[in-house]
Amino acid sequence: SLIIIAIGALLGACLQAASAFPTNVLQELSAPVVNLIFLPMIIFESGYSLRQKDFASQFVHILVFACFGTFVAIMVCGILIYVTGDLHGITDRRTAFTFASLISATDPVATLATYSSLKVDPLLNIMVFGESTVNDAVAIVVFDILNSDEIYGPPCDQNMGDESTILEAIALGIINKLVGSIAIGIAFAFAYTLILRIAHMRHSTSMEILFIVFSCYLTFSTAEQVHMSGIIAVLFCGIFMGIYTKPHLSKEGNVLATFFVKELAAWADLGIFLLVGVDIVVTTGATWHFSAWVMLFLLIGRAVAVGLSGLIVNGIKWSMSKKTDKDVLMLSCRHLFMMWHAGLRG
């Protein structure tokens, strides 16, 4: 990934030197390309080829890290940005916590790329993968609420709104976003399976492959259109399609569709790192200064969140083992350290 970033930085420097694209155009293009083209396929492929039993067995524990852990990381990072405002210029409390909600959630792209190539421990892989996708709901909800004048108050108001109202809105928003996104993903997966069963596409391998790819982007765009999480919807759509859709594909179509989706995800991953390299060139000195502080705050916030969430998850696992008299896989210090590192990587 570092090589691709370096190539992207070289490409960005060439484009800037040749004045092929203004700086603001390069910045404006990055987000839509990542969110609408690259990200849906990466998440869909992860769900499509996921070990479903591992994910289901750890889903409750994933929710602890994705919901509670992400909220703790946002609070710690937001507080640190606010109290150190004289060092980097962010002195508004609302701005500090809004940016913290935007940056504290673990990004799945780099994590998935690294862990798949290293073939890490399955428990660690499923925990990090699950958290990095499900925490999207928490980040979106907190970010939207902090940007809501009705809940938080006018933008220039230094006083925080009613804390109980804010916490209630966050809790209900997370539940709504999480449940709604999962429901959309599952509903679309069953709809696609029904279409494949009725349409009998086994005679055309290319049609089967195109249908699988099309389903990814339709699910993502629909979920985003109704203000749900496209990432979570695509993830669960991919999981259920991996279970119920594959039997309705021809043997050749099944193999080729899996291979094609995996290759598209790999190319999308490379594309994201390429854009990161291009963006490095157009950043300013003030951006680097603030980013250096935020990286430190993220490390601290991530450490606190992983430590507390790990204690809760191990407590749940221990109580379950006592009730069922079965051995369970506890999260070791090595697991927790790698989960902390995964947050930095993202």
Side-chain angles (χ1 to χ4, degrees):
S1 58
L2 284 176
I3 294 174
I4 301 299
I5 290 175
I7 294 173
L10 181 62
L11 176 62
C14 292
L15 291 173
Q16 199 171 35
S19 300
F21 291 97
T23 300
N24 62 325
V25 173
L26 289 174
Q27 293 173 326
E28 290 295 328
L29 280 176
S30 294
V33 170
V34 170
N35 292 329
L36 301 179
I37 299 176
F38 293 156
L39 190 59
M41 183 51 64
I42 292 173
I43 301 301
F44 179 81
E45 188 277 328
S46 301
Y48 195 71
S49 58
L50 183 70
R51 295 167 58 171
Q52 292 91 0
K53 290 184 179 179
D54 289 347
F55 184 78
S57 66
Q58 301 297 325
F59 187 65
V60 174
H61 310 137
I62 288 170
L63 287 179
V64 174
F65 279 96
C67 297
F68 174 75
T70 303
F71 186 74
V72 170
I74 290 172
M75 291 297 104
V76 173
C77 186
I79 291 171
L80 290 175
I81 292 175
Y82 178 64
V83 298
T84 59
D86 294 337
L87 298 174
H88 47 69
I90 305 298
T91 56
D92 178 62
R93 178 166 52 181
R94 181 174 181 179
T95 303
F97 281 93
T98 303
F99 186 80
S101 68
L102 182 72
I103 204 71
S104 295
T106 309
D107 170 35
V109 176
T111 304
L112 294 175
T114 307
Y115 281 22
S116 60
S117 61
L118 294 177
K119 301 187 186 307
V120 300
D121 177 65
L123 174 62
L124 174 63
N125 186 52
I126 206 69
M127 289 297 295
V128 173
F129 164 72
E131 180 201 359
S132 64
T133 49
V134 176
N135 67 12
D136 184 56
V138 181
I140 291 173
V141 168
V142 176
F143 183 80
D144 287 344
I145 287 174
L146 291 176
N147 277 292
S148 172
D149 294 344
E150 295 180 2
I151 298 174
Y152 202 93
C156 298
D157 188 2
Q158 293 293 324
N159 297 317
M160 184 181 289
D162 183 60
E163 292 184 4
S164 61
T165 303
I166 294 174
L167 292 175
E168 181 183 356
I170 289 174
L172 292 176
I174 291 172
I175 294 172
N176 176 62
K177 190 82 69 175
L178 190 60
V179 173
S181 302
I182 292 174
I184 289 174
I186 295 174
F188 271 73
F190 282 117
Y192 298 140
T193 304
L194 185 62
I195 291 172
L196 275 175
R197 184 173 182 177
I198 295 173
H200 297 293
M201 297 184 189
R202 293 172 183 259
H203 65 281
S204 175
T205 304
S206 59
M207 286 291 292
E208 291 177 318
I209 296 173
L210 287 173
F211 183 81
I212 297 297
V213 174
F214 166 80
S215 65
C216 161
Y217 290 101
L218 178 60
T219 305
F220 185 89
S221 59
T222 304
E224 291 291 329
Q225 189 66 31
V226 296
H227 305 292
M228 292 295 159
S229 169
I231 289 178
I232 298 176
V234 166
L235 169 65
F236 279 87
C237 180
I239 291 174
F240 278 82
M241 285 185 72
I243 300 172
Y244 297 105
T245 301
K246 289 181 178 179
H248 297 284
L249 300 172
S250 63
K251 185 177 292 186
E252 185 182 23
N254 187 13
V255 173
L256 290 177
T258 302
F259 172 78
F260 188 69
V261 167
K262 190 175 290 290
E263 288 301 305
L264 284 179
W267 281 103
D269 184 70
L270 291 177
I272 287 179
F273 285 116
L274 194 68
L275 286 176
V276 169
V278 172
D279 284 343
I280 286 175
V281 179
V282 299
T283 53
T284 62
T287 303
W288 284 110
H289 177 75
F290 180 59
S291 297
W293 282 107
V294 171
M295 280 189 236
L296 175 62
F297 300 155
L298 286 175
L299 286 173
I300 298 172
R302 179 72 179 165
V304 174
V306 169
L308 292 177
S309 301
L311 287 174
I312 295 173
V313 167
N314 280 336
I316 295 173
K317 287 175 175 281
W318 181 80
S319 62
M320 289 176 61
S321 66
K322 289 295 182 181
K323 291 180 180 179
T324 58
D325 291 328
K326 293 181 180 179
D327 293 332
V328 294
L329 292 173
M330 306 291 282
L331 293 175
S332 65
C333 292
R334 290 184 177 181
H335 285 130
L336 296 177
F337 177 82
M338 288 304 297
M339 294 185 74
W340 169 77
H341 172 263
L344 168 65
R345 183 78 169 87

